[in-house]
Amino acid sequence: MGILSKKITVLAGDGIGPEVCREAIKVLDAVAERFGHAFDYDHQLMGACAIDATGNPLPEATLQACFRADAVLLGAIGDPKYDHNPAAPVRPEQGLLRLRKALGLFANIRPVTAYDVLLAHSPLRPERIQGTDLLIFRELTGGIYFGEKGRTDDGAAYDHCTYSQAEIERIAHLAFQSAATRRRQLTLVDKANVLETSRLWREVVQQLAPAYPTVQVDYLFVDNAAMQVILNPRQFDVILTENMFGDIISDEASVIAGSLGLLPSASVGSTVALFEPIHGSYPQAAGKGIANPIAAILSVALMLEHFGLLEEAEAVKAAVQQALTQGVLTPELNADQPSGTAQVGSYIAAQVAAHDESPLYLENIGVGLSTII
Ligand code: IPM
Ligand code: MG
């Protein structure tokens, strides 16, 4: 891979979003310096900060900046002043949902890894979670999130869930392709015993399966899957599921990693891809320097893979592994000798910038997405 120049639109957002984005950019700058690339950042508003500034959670200027970009880096959005007001006419989340739809980001990919050095930090028993390496493919632009919603004349409320065959096929292909390069196992999580949309998901996945003869497909109802994910997470390789089930299962699965602050995600689709930590805006921690920047930094590693910069992505992942091994971690993962958000970011950036990584640290920490985005 030669020297690249990339334009990245940064939507730092709300709460801890700006803090973790700052560290992710530090790491990107270290990558640029070491490998000779040029990353150009275009900061734009989205979420509660955009509502405060413009009245709109996704201003037109932000959307246009995303379309112009080679990739989007998102911090987090959300503010309690909206969460506690169900009648709020505009909400930060609307910005994110509109952005996903507008950019056609139909697949959200969330890797979940149990890091050996952090096994003790999970509330789950180490022997249950050790070796977990799973990838969730969550459908992101359809289903109940985007169906018609409203109130009836008699005061009831409804949210419609609809999926077309095409919407299921396009993400299912990505999940099959990914499984084929991993441990060749695909689990469709649905509620086909109750929901018609889930029955369509099963039909479509069954139709596609013969095209991927090396991949073994199995099916789990979402209630059982919620239990299996924490009872025996090693049984999963690639999980494919619809929008809302994926939202729920991925937060649940993050418990395996030991902190929500470790999990990155990539959203891909028809145009520019977007990279974001799966955690929220964590407003209680904002400005305190205690937010874990690793999820944002690993999101940048996924971005680099997406650009085809595999060596660069490996350098970031190796640097994160060093921070984990050396205990350079925010308080939720190292209560005795905590580092601040900026310290963790600087440490990881310095590891990336250093050219003398020992092979000991070069082992892949298992994000393992290089072939699918
Ligand atoms: C996520 C978040 C969002 C979602 C919210 C903020 C709308 O929970 O990315 O998982 O539900 O998709
Ligand atoms: Mg969520």
Side-chain angles (χ1 to χ4, degrees):
M1 215 15 101
I3 286 172
L4 293 184
S5 172
K6 295 284 182 191
K7 201 175 174 64
I8 298 161
T9 291
V10 180
L11 311 175
D14 308 318
I16 60 169
E19 297 164 51
V20 298
C21 278
R22 202 172 300 131
E23 302 316 310
I25 288 172
K26 228 184 238 177
V27 173
L28 270 177
D29 284 342
V31 168
E33 197 185 310
R34 172 166 158 197
F35 293 90
H37 305 303
F39 300 124
D40 176 33
Y41 310 105
D42 180 6
H43 293 264
Q44 299 286 337
L45 296 173
M46 188 178 72
C49 60
I51 300 178
D52 292 344
T54 71
N56 181 352
L58 179 62
E60 187 57 27
T62 299
L63 187 56
Q64 292 311 322
C66 292
F67 276 122
R68 280 196 306 272
D70 293 306
V72 179
L73 173 66
L74 175 86
I77 54 133
D79 190 296
K81 73 183 171 205
Y82 299 97
D83 295 345
H84 304 313
N85 177 9
V90 274
R91 316 179 60 81
E93 290 79 4
Q94 288 165 342
L96 181 56
L97 298 179
R98 277 183 213 151
L99 182 67
R100 288 171 176 169
K101 195 73 170 178
L103 297 182
L105 301 171
F106 60 80
N108 179 231
I109 304 157
R110 300 185 164 186
V112 179
T113 309
Y115 300 100
D116 278 345
V117 291
L118 296 180
L119 287 178
H121 287 278
S122 173
L124 305 173
R125 283 196 215 133
E127 66 271 21
R128 275 187 203 265
I129 59 175
Q130 185 166 32
T132 299
D133 170 21
L134 62 87
L135 199 53
I136 299 173
F137 274 74
R138 168 190 175 193
E139 202 289 328
L140 204 59
T141 53
I144 198 166
Y145 270 55
F146 289 93
E148 197 189 319
K149 51 187 86 245
R151 302 282 170 117
T152 63
D153 291 343
D154 57 5
Y158 59 88
D159 296 277
H160 284 169
C161 184
T162 308
Y163 269 109
S164 71
Q165 177 132 0
E167 282 176 311
I168 302 167
E169 268 174 17
R170 59 189 182 179
I171 186 171
H173 275 300
L174 292 184
F176 268 113
Q177 284 159 18
S178 169
T181 66
R182 289 172 48 98
R183 299 194 307 278
R184 295 183 294 281
Q185 197 205 320
L186 178 73
T187 305
L188 176 67
V189 169
D190 64 23
K191 189 72 186 173
N193 50 348
V194 177
L195 301 177
E196 200 55 37
T197 41
S198 285
R199 290 193 271 272
L200 184 61
W201 274 82
R202 277 202 189 201
E203 271 170 46
V204 171
V205 167
Q206 277 164 5
Q207 278 164 19
L208 298 189
Y212 299 93
T214 61
V215 178
Q216 189 206 321
V217 185
D218 49 22
Y219 304 89
L220 269 188
F221 295 141
V222 62
D223 46 355
N224 186 16
M227 183 172 68
Q228 296 297 333
V229 156
I230 50 172
L231 265 186
N232 178 15
R234 271 193 302 269
Q235 69 184 290
F236 297 108
D237 180 18
V238 174
I239 291 177
L240 168 65
T241 191
E242 59 121 92
N243 201 342
M244 188 153 81
F245 297 159
D247 180 44
I248 298 167
I249 293 280
S250 60
D251 265 31
E252 188 195 8
S254 75
V255 173
I256 296 165
S259 169
L260 196 54
L262 291 172
L263 269 70
S265 85
S267 300
V268 301
S270 30
T271 57
V272 58
L274 178 149
F275 301 84
E276 60 171 314
I278 85 155
H279 61 69
S281 60
Y282 192 15
Q284 306 87 331
K288 294 188 180 155
I290 57 170
N292 190 341
I294 291 182
I297 291 169
L298 288 174
S299 298
V300 154
L302 297 180
M303 183 189 289
L304 293 167
E305 289 181 359
H306 178 74
F307 290 153
L309 300 176
L310 304 186
E311 192 188 342
E312 289 81 343
E314 283 308 315
V316 173
K317 291 190 275 184
V320 167
Q321 181 66 64
Q322 284 220 36
L324 298 177
T325 312
Q326 301 301 314
V328 183
L329 297 165
T330 41
E332 90 283 12
L333 291 174
N334 185 349
D336 295 336
Q337 286 182 293
S339 297
T341 307
Q343 270 176 296
V344 175
S346 297
Y347 178 86
I348 294 170
Q351 297 300 318
V352 169
H355 290 241
D356 60 348
E357 283 149 298
S358 104
L360 181 67
Y361 297 119
L362 278 176
E363 59 202 23
N364 187 336
I365 57 171
V367 173
L369 269 174
S370 48
T371 46
I372 43 103
I373 53 172

PDB file of all heavy atoms in Angstrom, residues 77 93 96-97 100 110 138 145 247 276, ligand 1:
ATOM      1  N   ILE A  77     -23.202  10.116  20.869  1.00  0.00           N
ATOM      2  CA  ILE A  77     -24.215  11.163  20.962  1.00  0.00           C
ATOM      3  C   ILE A  77     -25.216  10.819  22.056  1.00  0.00           C
ATOM      4  O   ILE A  77     -25.383   9.668  22.435  1.00  0.00           O
ATOM      5  CB  ILE A  77     -24.971  11.374  19.635  1.00  0.00           C
ATOM      6  CG1 ILE A  77     -25.544  10.053  19.136  1.00  0.00           C
ATOM      7  CG2 ILE A  77     -24.075  12.002  18.575  1.00  0.00           C
ATOM      8  CD1 ILE A  77     -26.954  10.209  18.731  1.00  0.00           C
ATOM      9  N   GLU A  93     -30.525  11.285  19.074  1.00  0.00           N
ATOM     10  CA  GLU A  93     -30.483  10.003  18.370  1.00  0.00           C
ATOM     11  C   GLU A  93     -31.023  10.101  16.949  1.00  0.00           C
ATOM     12  O   GLU A  93     -30.632   9.341  16.058  1.00  0.00           O
ATOM     13  CB  GLU A  93     -31.273   8.933  19.136  1.00  0.00           C
ATOM     14  CG  GLU A  93     -30.636   8.493  20.444  1.00  0.00           C
ATOM     15  CD  GLU A  93     -30.857   9.478  21.597  1.00  0.00           C
ATOM     16  OE1 GLU A  93     -31.576  10.485  21.412  1.00  0.00           O
ATOM     17  OE2 GLU A  93     -30.295   9.235  22.685  1.00  0.00           O
ATOM     18  N   LEU A  96     -28.264  10.515  14.473  1.00  0.00           N
ATOM     19  CA  LEU A  96     -27.513   9.305  14.145  1.00  0.00           C
ATOM     20  C   LEU A  96     -28.315   8.392  13.218  1.00  0.00           C
ATOM     21  O   LEU A  96     -27.796   7.845  12.245  1.00  0.00           O
ATOM     22  CB  LEU A  96     -27.145   8.574  15.440  1.00  0.00           C
ATOM     23  CG  LEU A  96     -26.335   7.291  15.306  1.00  0.00           C
ATOM     24  CD1 LEU A  96     -25.042   7.541  14.538  1.00  0.00           C
ATOM     25  CD2 LEU A  96     -26.026   6.702  16.681  1.00  0.00           C
ATOM     26  N   LEU A  97     -29.599   8.248  13.532  1.00  0.00           N
ATOM     27  CA  LEU A  97     -30.433   7.358  12.714  1.00  0.00           C
ATOM     28  C   LEU A  97     -30.555   7.899  11.292  1.00  0.00           C
ATOM     29  O   LEU A  97     -30.446   7.158  10.315  1.00  0.00           O
ATOM     30  CB  LEU A  97     -31.816   7.164  13.352  1.00  0.00           C
ATOM     31  CG  LEU A  97     -31.797   6.506  14.745  1.00  0.00           C
ATOM     32  CD1 LEU A  97     -33.206   6.384  15.313  1.00  0.00           C
ATOM     33  CD2 LEU A  97     -31.142   5.130  14.704  1.00  0.00           C
ATOM     34  N   ARG A 100     -27.240   7.310   9.464  1.00  0.00           N
ATOM     35  CA  ARG A 100     -27.078   5.920   9.026  1.00  0.00           C
ATOM     36  C   ARG A 100     -27.885   5.670   7.751  1.00  0.00           C
ATOM     37  O   ARG A 100     -27.413   5.033   6.809  1.00  0.00           O
ATOM     38  CB  ARG A 100     -27.551   4.960  10.128  1.00  0.00           C
ATOM     39  CG  ARG A 100     -26.610   4.905  11.314  1.00  0.00           C
ATOM     40  CD  ARG A 100     -27.222   4.108  12.462  1.00  0.00           C
ATOM     41  NE  ARG A 100     -26.281   3.972  13.570  1.00  0.00           N
ATOM     42  CZ  ARG A 100     -26.615   3.508  14.774  1.00  0.00           C
ATOM     43  NH1 ARG A 100     -27.878   3.136  15.039  1.00  0.00           N
ATOM     44  NH2 ARG A 100     -25.711   3.393  15.716  1.00  0.00           N
ATOM     45  N   ARG A 110     -19.651  -5.489  14.744  1.00  0.00           N
ATOM     46  CA  ARG A 110     -19.155  -5.290  16.103  1.00  0.00           C
ATOM     47  C   ARG A 110     -18.371  -6.511  16.570  1.00  0.00           C
ATOM     48  O   ARG A 110     -18.946  -7.532  16.923  1.00  0.00           O
ATOM     49  CB  ARG A 110     -20.336  -5.028  17.051  1.00  0.00           C
ATOM     50  CG  ARG A 110     -21.118  -3.793  16.652  1.00  0.00           C
ATOM     51  CD  ARG A 110     -22.222  -3.420  17.619  1.00  0.00           C
ATOM     52  NE  ARG A 110     -22.651  -2.045  17.356  1.00  0.00           N
ATOM     53  CZ  ARG A 110     -23.524  -1.365  18.094  1.00  0.00           C
ATOM     54  NH1 ARG A 110     -24.076  -1.935  19.150  1.00  0.00           N
ATOM     55  NH2 ARG A 110     -23.838  -0.127  17.788  1.00  0.00           N
ATOM     56  N   ARG A 138     -24.916  -6.557  12.625  1.00  0.00           N
ATOM     57  CA  ARG A 138     -26.228  -6.002  12.972  1.00  0.00           C
ATOM     58  C   ARG A 138     -26.766  -5.195  11.790  1.00  0.00           C
ATOM     59  O   ARG A 138     -26.082  -4.271  11.327  1.00  0.00           O
ATOM     60  CB  ARG A 138     -26.066  -5.095  14.200  1.00  0.00           C
ATOM     61  CG  ARG A 138     -27.268  -4.245  14.488  1.00  0.00           C
ATOM     62  CD  ARG A 138     -26.971  -3.200  15.560  1.00  0.00           C
ATOM     63  NE  ARG A 138     -28.119  -2.331  15.729  1.00  0.00           N
ATOM     64  CZ  ARG A 138     -28.119  -1.182  16.390  1.00  0.00           C
ATOM     65  NH1 ARG A 138     -27.020  -0.770  16.986  1.00  0.00           N
ATOM     66  NH2 ARG A 138     -29.207  -0.452  16.470  1.00  0.00           N
ATOM     67  N   TYR A 145     -36.634   0.105  13.934  1.00  0.00           N
ATOM     68  CA  TYR A 145     -36.052   1.435  14.112  1.00  0.00           C
ATOM     69  C   TYR A 145     -36.586   2.419  13.079  1.00  0.00           C
ATOM     70  O   TYR A 145     -36.684   3.621  13.335  1.00  0.00           O
ATOM     71  CB  TYR A 145     -34.524   1.378  13.962  1.00  0.00           C
ATOM     72  CG  TYR A 145     -33.751   1.113  15.226  1.00  0.00           C
ATOM     73  CD1 TYR A 145     -34.016  -0.003  16.001  1.00  0.00           C
ATOM     74  CD2 TYR A 145     -32.736   1.971  15.625  1.00  0.00           C
ATOM     75  CE1 TYR A 145     -33.285  -0.252  17.145  1.00  0.00           C
ATOM     76  CE2 TYR A 145     -32.006   1.725  16.769  1.00  0.00           C
ATOM     77  CZ  TYR A 145     -32.283   0.612  17.524  1.00  0.00           C
ATOM     78  OH  TYR A 145     -31.557   0.366  18.655  1.00  0.00           O
ATOM     79  N   ASP A 247     -28.725  -4.480  18.455  1.00  0.00           N
ATOM     80  CA  ASP A 247     -28.459  -3.425  19.429  1.00  0.00           C
ATOM     81  C   ASP A 247     -28.345  -4.034  20.823  1.00  0.00           C
ATOM     82  O   ASP A 247     -27.400  -3.766  21.569  1.00  0.00           O
ATOM     83  CB  ASP A 247     -29.602  -2.401  19.378  1.00  0.00           C
ATOM     84  CG  ASP A 247     -29.400  -1.266  20.374  1.00  0.00           C
ATOM     85  OD1 ASP A 247     -28.268  -0.763  20.470  1.00  0.00           O
ATOM     86  OD2 ASP A 247     -30.379  -0.900  21.053  1.00  0.00           O
ATOM     87  N   GLU A 276     -17.243   3.912  14.850  1.00  0.00           N
ATOM     88  CA  GLU A 276     -17.616   4.492  16.146  1.00  0.00           C
ATOM     89  C   GLU A 276     -17.500   3.446  17.240  1.00  0.00           C
ATOM     90  O   GLU A 276     -17.714   2.266  17.011  1.00  0.00           O
ATOM     91  CB  GLU A 276     -19.048   5.028  16.116  1.00  0.00           C
ATOM     92  CG  GLU A 276     -20.091   3.990  15.801  1.00  0.00           C
ATOM     93  CD  GLU A 276     -21.533   4.470  15.990  1.00  0.00           C
ATOM     94  OE1 GLU A 276     -21.826   5.081  17.022  1.00  0.00           O
ATOM     95  OE2 GLU A 276     -22.360   4.180  15.119  1.00  0.00           O
TER      96      GLU A 276
HETATM   97  C1  IPM B   1     -26.109   2.043  19.210  1.00  0.00           C
HETATM   98  C2  IPM B   1     -26.948   2.998  20.005  1.00  0.00           C
HETATM   99  C3  IPM B   1     -27.971   3.646  19.091  1.00  0.00           C
HETATM  100  C4  IPM B   1     -28.870   2.553  18.551  1.00  0.00           C
HETATM  101  C5  IPM B   1     -28.798   4.757  19.746  1.00  0.00           C
HETATM  102  C6  IPM B   1     -27.929   5.847  20.299  1.00  0.00           C
HETATM  103  C7  IPM B   1     -29.839   5.313  18.807  1.00  0.00           C
HETATM  104  O1  IPM B   1     -27.533   2.354  21.080  1.00  0.00           O
HETATM  105  O2  IPM B   1     -25.446   2.485  18.241  1.00  0.00           O
HETATM  106  O3  IPM B   1     -26.098   0.858  19.524  1.00  0.00           O
HETATM  107  O4  IPM B   1     -29.832   2.130  19.207  1.00  0.00           O
HETATM  108  O5  IPM B   1     -28.622   2.090  17.446  1.00  0.00           O
END
